Amino acid sequence: MAETRVGVVGAGIVGLAIARGLALARPGLKVTVLDKEDRVAAHQTGHNSGVAHAGLYYAPGSLKATLCRRGIGLLKEFCADRNLPYVECGKLVIARDAAELGALEEIERRATANGVPGLRRLTGGALTEIEPHATGVAALHSPTTAIVDFPAVARAFARDVADAGGEVRLGFEVVRIGRAGDRVTAASPHEELTFDRLVICAGLHSDRVARLAGDSPAPAIIPFRGEYYRLVPSRTDLVRGLIYPVPDPRYPFLGVHFTRRVDGGVDIGPNAVLALAREGYRRRDVRPADLWDTIRWPGFRHLARRHWRTGARELYGSAVKRAFVAEARSFVPELTTADVTPAPAGVRAQAVDPDGSLVDDFRIGHLGPITTIRNAPSPAATSSLAIAELIAFSPPSGLAALHRR
């Protein structure tokens, strides 16, 4: 019997988890991961906050809610098995004033419906027992929210792929995808490979690669740079775990927050400003082709008209350090501008529909033997092992056929 071959485009944590899941589910299956970079986890996986989310915010019954709750359990087990850092430092979601109490109650309702364990509603005085330097009128405490080293997890996934007989092909930029009967080809400028199935999980370029496979233009990826500051070492005692705001329900972004890292540092951020390049980690990074793709997308123009005030506020926080710190100080009043130093930024691949709607839930599509992951923002890293289960075993994916052959 001919060998069955599966290609996965994208060596971020989700693509590697999918490749690993397929390789382990059927010994003998030939899985090949393709990525244009010279290392795994080069983009979103390597630039995120390192938080393993417990499932507080997501609409009950959504893919985010279901896969996050399943995924965090699998991730915890995986980290324990591989001796990788996994620290349940806990999260406080803080309502700063009475106007935010209704939204905090909605988060508590969702988290309870999603089965998040150990939740506690705290008054303003009680929240200081968890975070002595924080302030607010009320808070929701999630003790099982954790911090991990996602690039290390991704590298462990890549090793599992190789140990199962698969391959991670770095420096392979997919520029063309074709279909011939029940076969799929993926080509770089120098080489063409043939597969029985192909999974596209290309993060910041997911829409472009999906279009190579014949998928629709929508949704398009609009890149948002998330900028961070970091507490200087002498002030990391201001934060014990994770301190989050009550998010604005109009946006999938969570707002500026405090994140303890597994190395002991504490980051503050991110904001959300339009990136002028899909891999625009620095303000000076500008790629005209990326910027043109953003501007010409009808959804971006609708989004800009609808939310220009919010965008202007985010830009001001980006340009003026004291404005950024002032937002963070509304949760930790002792914070000063002298307490922080710039930290590396990340870029979020935000999917936007033609009407300007920000796509919130995971969005996964199918084109015969091709599976396209068109939107996989946070909590995708937390959910990666559960997403892998879905892709490998869900009948609509077309990949389930591999387990019947």
Side-chain angles (χ1 to χ4, degrees):
M1 185 173 64
E3 181 180 59
T4 301
R5 296 156 294 179
V6 178
V8 177
V9 181
I13 194 168
V14 176
L16 290 167
I18 291 169
R20 173 185 180 273
L22 289 166
L24 296 179
R26 181 179 170 187
L29 185 70
K30 178 65 176 179
V31 179
T32 303
V33 181
L34 307 174
D35 197 285
K36 67 184 179 66
E37 303 297 347
D38 61 0
R39 65 196 186 282
V40 304
H43 292 294
Q44 290 185 110
T45 303
H47 293 83
N48 70 18
S49 64
V51 176
H53 294 279
L56 274 68
Y57 311 101
Y58 318 121
S62 65
L63 278 177
K64 274 190 175 182
T66 303
L67 297 178
C68 181
R69 286 301 309 144
R70 171 66 175 160
I72 193 170
L74 294 172
L75 179 64
K76 183 177 181 178
E77 292 175 4
F78 182 86
C79 289
D81 182 64
R82 303 305 172 88
N83 198 29
L84 294 172
Y86 187 96
V87 182
E88 289 185 341
C89 62
K91 173 193 290 187
L92 271 186
V93 181
I94 296 178
R96 291 171 289 187
D97 53 42
E100 295 182 336
L101 289 176
L104 185 67
E105 289 174 2
E106 173 61 14
I107 293 172
E108 184 177 16
R109 184 195 69 81
R110 289 187 175 197
T112 301
N114 292 338
V116 177
L119 291 171
R120 285 198 300 154
R121 180 71 174 269
L122 304 174
T123 63
L127 71 85
T128 59
E129 297 175 8
I130 306 297
E131 290 286 355
H133 300 280
T135 187
V137 298
L140 186 66
H141 183 223
S142 168
T144 60
T145 299
I147 52 176
V148 300
D149 183 343
F150 281 124
V153 173
R155 292 190 293 269
F157 287 170
R159 288 192 293 271
D160 283 355
V161 171
D163 290 345
E167 185 179 12
V168 178
R169 292 283 305 274
L170 300 175
F172 192 109
E173 181 179 5
V174 175
V175 298
R176 187 174 67 257
I177 295 173
R179 289 177 59 181
D182 58 355
R183 297 289 186 268
V184 183
T185 58
S188 75
H190 311 291
E191 186 178 1
E192 182 174 283
L193 303 176
T194 301
F195 302 103
D196 298 281
R197 299 287 188 271
L198 187 71
V199 181
I200 295 171
C201 189
L204 289 161
H205 303 279
S206 59
D207 56 339
R208 290 171 170 169
V209 181
R211 288 198 297 268
L212 292 177
D215 205 0
S216 67
I221 294 299
I222 304 298
F224 285 90
R225 187 174 62 254
E227 297 166 330
Y228 290 86
Y229 283 92
R230 181 165 293 162
L231 287 180
V232 297
S234 62
R235 296 294 275 165
T236 56
D237 61 341
L238 287 175
V239 179
R240 288 179 172 178
L242 309 171
I243 299 175
Y244 276 59
V246 175
D248 186 331
R250 296 174 298 169
Y251 305 105
F253 312 112
L254 294 177
V256 171
H257 49 273
F258 294 78
T259 306
R260 181 162 287 279
R261 308 300 296 258
V262 292
D263 63 4
V266 176
D267 284 355
I268 308 171
N271 57 2
V273 296
L274 182 69
L276 304 183
R278 295 212 181 187
E279 297 167 14
Y281 301 107
R282 300 167 299 180
R283 294 175 186 175
R284 65 177 182 270
D285 291 337
V286 180
R287 190 169 188 271
D290 290 350
L291 184 56
W292 173 241
D293 278 353
T294 293
I295 293 171
R296 70 176 179 171
W297 179 242
F300 171 73
R301 297 194 292 273
H302 289 304
L303 180 70
R305 283 195 295 268
R306 197 176 302 155
H307 300 294
W308 67 269
R309 289 182 179 86
T310 299
R313 187 168 62 249
E314 292 291 307
L315 281 171
Y316 181 67
S318 171
V320 181
K321 180 180 179 180
R322 66 176 182 274
F324 191 109
V325 173
E327 177 71 14
R329 192 164 49 239
S330 65
F331 299 98
V332 180
E334 295 174 49
L335 186 72
T336 71
T337 55
D339 294 331
V340 302
T341 186
V347 179
R348 177 188 176 108
Q350 177 59 54
V352 178
D353 278 328
D355 66 356
S357 299
L358 295 162
V359 180
D360 186 38
D361 206 359
F362 299 145
R363 189 170 291 185
I364 302 172
H366 312 288
L367 301 166
I370 302 172
T371 297
T372 61
I373 300 180
R374 297 293 297 263
N375 190 52
S378 178
T382 303
S383 308
S384 57
L385 289 169
I387 295 172
E389 286 185 336
L390 178 70
I391 298 300
F393 297 109
S394 177
S397 73
L399 288 167
L402 294 177
H403 305 282
R404 297 195 296 267
R405 290 174 61 172

Coordinates of all heavy atoms in Angstrom, one line a residue, residues 116-171:
V116 N -14.6 26.5 34.2 CA -13.4 26.9 34.7 C -13.3 26.6 36.2 O -14.2 27.1 36.9 CB -13.1 28.4 34.4 CG1 -11.8 28.8 35.1 CG2 -13.1 28.6 32.9
P117 N -12.4 25.8 36.7 CA -12.4 25.4 38.1 C -11.8 26.5 39.0 O -11.0 27.4 38.7 CB -11.5 24.2 38.1 CG -10.5 24.5 37.0 CD -11.3 25.2 35.9
G118 N -12.3 26.5 40.3 CA -11.8 27.3 41.4 C -12.1 28.7 41.3 O -11.4 29.5 42.0
L119 N -13.0 29.2 40.5 CA -13.3 30.6 40.4 C -13.8 31.2 41.8 O -14.5 30.6 42.5 CB -14.4 30.9 39.4 CG -14.1 30.6 37.9 CD1 -15.3 30.7 37.1 CD2 -13.0 31.6 37.4
R120 N -13.3 32.4 42.0 CA -13.8 33.2 43.2 C -14.0 34.6 42.9 O -13.2 35.2 42.2 CB -12.7 33.1 44.3 CG -12.6 31.8 45.1 CD -11.9 32.0 46.4 NE -10.6 32.5 46.2 CZ -9.9 33.2 47.1 NH1 -10.5 33.5 48.3 NH2 -8.7 33.6 46.9
R121 N -15.2 35.1 43.3 CA -15.5 36.5 43.2 C -15.0 37.2 44.4 O -15.3 36.8 45.5 CB -17.0 36.7 43.0 CG -17.5 38.1 42.8 CD -17.0 38.7 41.5 NE -17.6 40.0 41.3 CZ -18.8 40.3 40.7 NH1 -19.5 39.3 40.3 NH2 -19.2 41.5 40.5
L122 N -14.2 38.3 44.3 CA -13.6 39.0 45.4 C -14.0 40.4 45.4 O -14.2 41.1 44.4 CB -12.1 38.9 45.2 CG -11.4 37.5 45.1 CD1 -10.0 37.7 44.8 CD2 -11.7 36.7 46.4
T123 N -14.2 41.0 46.6 CA -14.4 42.4 46.8 C -13.1 43.1 46.7 O -12.0 42.5 46.6 CB -15.0 42.7 48.2 OG1 -14.0 42.3 49.2 CG2 -16.3 41.9 48.4
G124 N -13.2 44.5 46.7 CA -11.9 45.3 46.5 C -10.9 45.0 47.6 O -9.7 44.9 47.3
G125 N -11.4 44.8 48.8 CA -10.4 44.5 49.9 C -9.8 43.2 49.8 O -8.6 43.0 50.0
A126 N -10.6 42.2 49.4 CA -10.1 40.8 49.4 C -9.2 40.6 48.2 O -8.3 39.7 48.3 CB -11.3 39.8 49.2
L127 N -9.3 41.3 47.1 CA -8.4 41.1 46.0 C -6.9 41.4 46.4 O -6.0 40.8 45.8 CB -8.8 41.9 44.8 CG -8.6 43.4 44.7 CD1 -7.2 43.8 44.2 CD2 -9.7 44.0 43.7
T128 N -6.7 42.2 47.4 CA -5.3 42.5 47.8 C -4.7 41.3 48.5 O -3.4 41.3 48.6 CB -5.2 43.7 48.7 OG1 -6.1 43.5 49.8 CG2 -5.7 45.0 47.9
E129 N -5.5 40.3 48.9 CA -4.9 39.1 49.5 C -4.2 38.3 48.4 O -3.2 37.6 48.6 CB -6.0 38.3 50.1 CG -6.7 38.9 51.3 CD -7.8 38.1 51.8 OE1 -8.0 36.9 51.4 OE2 -8.6 38.6 52.7
I130 N -4.7 38.5 47.2 CA -4.0 37.8 46.0 C -2.9 38.6 45.4 O -1.8 38.2 45.1 CB -5.1 37.5 44.9 CG1 -6.3 36.7 45.5 CG2 -4.5 36.7 43.8 CD1 -5.9 35.3 46.1
E131 N -3.2 39.9 45.2 CA -2.3 40.9 44.6 C -2.2 42.1 45.5 O -3.0 43.0 45.4 CB -2.7 41.3 43.2 CG -2.5 40.1 42.2 CD -1.1 39.9 41.8 OE1 -0.2 40.6 42.3 OE2 -0.9 38.9 41.0
P132 N -1.3 42.1 46.5 CA -1.2 43.2 47.5 C -1.1 44.6 46.9 O -1.5 45.6 47.6 CB 0.0 42.8 48.3 CG 0.2 41.4 48.1 CD -0.3 41.1 46.7
H133 N -0.5 44.8 45.7 CA -0.3 46.1 45.2 C -1.4 46.5 44.2 O -1.3 47.6 43.6 CB 1.1 46.2 44.5 CG 2.2 45.8 45.4 ND1 2.7 46.8 46.3 CD2 2.9 44.7 45.7 CE1 3.7 46.2 47.0 NE2 3.8 44.9 46.6
A134 N -2.4 45.7 44.0 CA -3.4 46.0 43.0 C -4.6 46.7 43.7 O -4.8 46.6 44.9 CB -3.9 44.7 42.3
T135 N -5.4 47.3 42.8 CA -6.6 48.0 43.4 C -7.8 47.8 42.4 O -7.6 47.6 41.2 CB -6.3 49.5 43.5 OG1 -7.4 50.2 44.2 CG2 -6.1 50.2 42.2
G136 N -9.0 47.9 43.0 CA -10.2 47.8 42.2 C -11.4 47.6 43.1 O -11.2 47.4 44.3
V137 N -12.6 47.7 42.5 CA -13.8 47.5 43.4 C -14.2 46.1 43.5 O -14.9 45.7 44.5 CB -15.0 48.4 42.8 CG1 -14.6 49.8 42.8 CG2 -15.4 47.9 41.4
A138 N -13.8 45.2 42.6 CA -14.1 43.8 42.6 C -13.2 43.1 41.6 O -12.5 43.7 40.8 CB -15.6 43.5 42.3
A139 N -13.1 41.8 41.8 CA -12.3 41.0 40.9 C -12.8 39.6 40.8 O -13.5 39.1 41.7 CB -10.8 41.0 41.3
L140 N -12.4 38.9 39.7 CA -12.6 37.4 39.5 C -11.3 36.8 39.5 O -10.4 37.1 38.8 CB -13.4 37.2 38.2 CG -13.8 35.7 38.0 CD1 -14.9 35.3 39.0 CD2 -14.4 35.6 36.6
H141 N -11.1 35.8 40.4 CA -9.8 35.1 40.5 C -9.9 33.7 39.9 O -10.8 32.9 40.2 CB -9.4 34.9 42.0 CG -8.1 34.3 42.2 ND1 -7.8 33.3 43.1 CD2 -6.9 34.5 41.5 CE1 -6.6 33.0 43.1 NE2 -6.0 33.7 42.1
S142 N -9.0 33.4 39.0 CA -8.9 32.1 38.3 C -7.6 31.5 38.7 O -6.5 31.8 38.2 CB -9.0 32.2 36.8 OG -8.6 31.0 36.2
P143 N -7.6 30.6 39.7 CA -6.3 30.1 40.3 C -5.6 29.2 39.3 O -4.4 28.9 39.5 CB -6.7 29.4 41.6 CG -8.1 29.0 41.3 CD -8.7 30.1 40.5
T144 N -6.3 28.6 38.3 CA -5.6 27.6 37.5 C -5.1 28.2 36.2 O -4.5 27.5 35.4 CB -6.6 26.5 37.1 OG1 -7.8 27.0 36.4 CG2 -7.1 25.7 38.4
T145 N -5.3 29.5 36.0 CA -4.6 30.1 34.8 C -3.1 30.0 35.1 O -2.6 30.3 36.2 CB -5.0 31.6 34.7 OG1 -6.4 31.6 34.4 CG2 -4.3 32.2 33.5
A146 N -2.3 29.7 34.0 CA -0.9 29.3 34.2 C 0.0 30.1 33.2 O -0.5 30.7 32.3 CB -0.7 27.8 34.0
I147 N 1.3 30.0 33.4 CA 2.2 30.5 32.5 C 3.2 29.4 32.1 O 3.5 28.5 32.9 CB 3.1 31.7 33.1 CG1 3.7 31.3 34.5 CG2 2.2 32.9 33.2 CD1 4.6 32.4 35.1
V148 N 3.5 29.4 30.8 CA 4.4 28.4 30.2 C 5.4 29.0 29.3 O 5.3 30.2 29.0 CB 3.5 27.3 29.4 CG1 2.5 26.7 30.4 CG2 2.8 28.0 28.3
D149 N 6.3 28.2 28.7 CA 7.2 28.6 27.7 C 6.8 28.0 26.4 O 7.1 26.8 26.0 CB 8.6 28.1 28.1 CG 9.7 28.5 27.1 OD1 9.4 28.9 26.0 OD2 10.9 28.4 27.5
F150 N 5.9 28.7 25.6 CA 5.4 28.1 24.4 C 6.4 27.8 23.3 O 6.3 26.8 22.6 CB 4.3 29.1 23.9 CG 3.0 28.9 24.6 CD1 2.4 30.1 25.2 CD2 2.3 27.7 24.7 CE1 1.2 30.0 25.8 CE2 1.1 27.6 25.4 CZ 0.5 28.7 25.9
P151 N 7.5 28.6 23.1 CA 8.5 28.2 22.2 C 9.1 26.8 22.6 O 9.4 26.0 21.7 CB 9.5 29.3 22.2 CG 8.7 30.5 22.6 CD 7.7 30.0 23.6
A152 N 9.3 26.6 23.9 CA 9.9 25.3 24.3 C 8.9 24.2 24.0 O 9.3 23.1 23.6 CB 10.2 25.4 25.8
V153 N 7.6 24.4 24.2 CA 6.6 23.4 23.9 C 6.6 23.2 22.4 O 6.5 22.0 22.0 CB 5.2 23.9 24.3 CG1 4.1 23.0 23.9 CG2 5.1 24.1 25.9
A154 N 6.7 24.2 21.6 CA 6.7 24.0 20.1 C 7.9 23.2 19.7 O 7.8 22.3 18.8 CB 6.7 25.4 19.4
R155 N 9.0 23.4 20.3 CA 10.2 22.7 19.9 C 10.1 21.2 20.3 O 10.5 20.3 19.6 CB 11.5 23.3 20.6 CG 11.9 24.6 20.0 CD 13.2 25.1 20.5 NE 13.2 25.4 22.0 CZ 13.0 26.6 22.5 NH1 12.7 27.6 21.7 NH2 13.1 26.7 23.8
A156 N 9.4 21.0 21.5 CA 9.1 19.6 21.9 C 8.2 18.9 20.9 O 8.3 17.7 20.6 CB 8.6 19.5 23.3
F157 N 7.2 19.6 20.4 CA 6.3 19.1 19.4 C 7.1 18.7 18.1 O 6.8 17.6 17.5 CB 5.2 20.1 19.0 CG 4.1 20.4 20.0 CD1 3.3 21.4 19.9 CD2 4.0 19.6 21.2 CE1 2.3 21.7 20.8 CE2 3.0 19.8 22.1 CZ 2.1 20.9 21.9
A158 N 8.0 19.6 17.7 CA 8.8 19.3 16.5 C 9.6 18.0 16.7 O 9.8 17.2 15.8 CB 9.7 20.5 16.2
R159 N 10.2 17.8 17.9 CA 10.9 16.6 18.2 C 10.1 15.4 18.1 O 10.5 14.3 17.6 CB 11.6 16.7 19.5 CG 12.8 17.7 19.6 CD 13.6 17.5 20.8 NE 12.9 17.9 22.0 CZ 12.8 19.1 22.5 NH1 13.5 20.1 21.9 NH2 12.1 19.4 23.6
D160 N 8.8 15.5 18.6 CA 7.9 14.4 18.5 C 7.6 14.0 17.0 O 7.4 12.8 16.7 CB 6.6 14.7 19.3 CG 6.8 14.6 20.8 OD1 7.9 14.1 21.2 OD2 5.8 14.9 21.5
V161 N 7.4 15.0 16.2 CA 7.2 14.8 14.8 C 8.3 14.0 14.2 O 8.1 13.0 13.5 CB 6.9 16.1 14.1 CG1 6.9 15.9 12.5 CG2 5.7 16.8 14.5
A162 N 9.5 14.5 14.5 CA 10.7 13.8 13.9 C 10.8 12.3 14.5 O 11.1 11.4 13.7 CB 12.0 14.6 14.2
D163 N 10.6 12.2 15.8 CA 10.7 10.8 16.4 C 9.6 9.9 15.8 O 9.8 8.7 15.8 CB 10.5 10.9 17.9 CG 11.7 11.6 18.6 OD1 12.7 11.8 17.9 OD2 11.6 12.0 19.7
A164 N 8.5 10.4 15.3 CA 7.4 9.6 14.8 C 7.7 9.3 13.3 O 6.8 8.7 12.6 CB 6.1 10.2 15.0
G165 N 8.8 9.8 12.7 CA 9.1 9.5 11.3 C 8.7 10.7 10.4 O 8.9 10.6 9.2
G166 N 8.3 11.8 11.0 CA 8.0 13.0 10.2 C 9.1 13.9 10.0 O 10.3 13.5 10.3
E167 N 8.9 15.0 9.4 CA 10.0 15.9 9.0 C 9.5 17.3 9.1 O 8.3 17.7 8.8 CB 10.4 15.7 7.6 CG 11.6 16.5 7.1 CD 12.0 16.2 5.7 OE1 11.2 15.5 5.0 OE2 13.1 16.6 5.3
V168 N 10.4 18.2 9.6 CA 10.1 19.6 9.7 C 11.1 20.3 8.7 O 12.3 20.3 8.9 CB 10.3 20.2 11.1 CG1 10.0 21.7 11.1 CG2 9.3 19.5 12.1
R169 N 10.5 20.8 7.6 CA 11.3 21.4 6.5 C 11.3 22.9 6.7 O 10.4 23.6 6.4 CB 10.7 21.0 5.1 CG 10.8 19.6 4.8 CD 12.2 19.2 4.3 NE 12.7 20.0 3.2 CZ 12.5 19.8 1.9 NH1 11.8 18.7 1.6 NH2 13.0 20.6 1.0
L170 N 12.4 23.4 7.2 CA 12.6 24.8 7.4 C 13.2 25.5 6.2 O 13.8 24.8 5.4 CB 13.4 25.1 8.6 CG 12.9 24.6 10.0 CD1 13.9 24.8 11.1 CD2 11.5 25.2 10.3
G171 N 13.0 26.8 6.0 CA 13.5 27.4 4.8 C 12.7 27.0 3.5 O 13.2 27.2 2.4

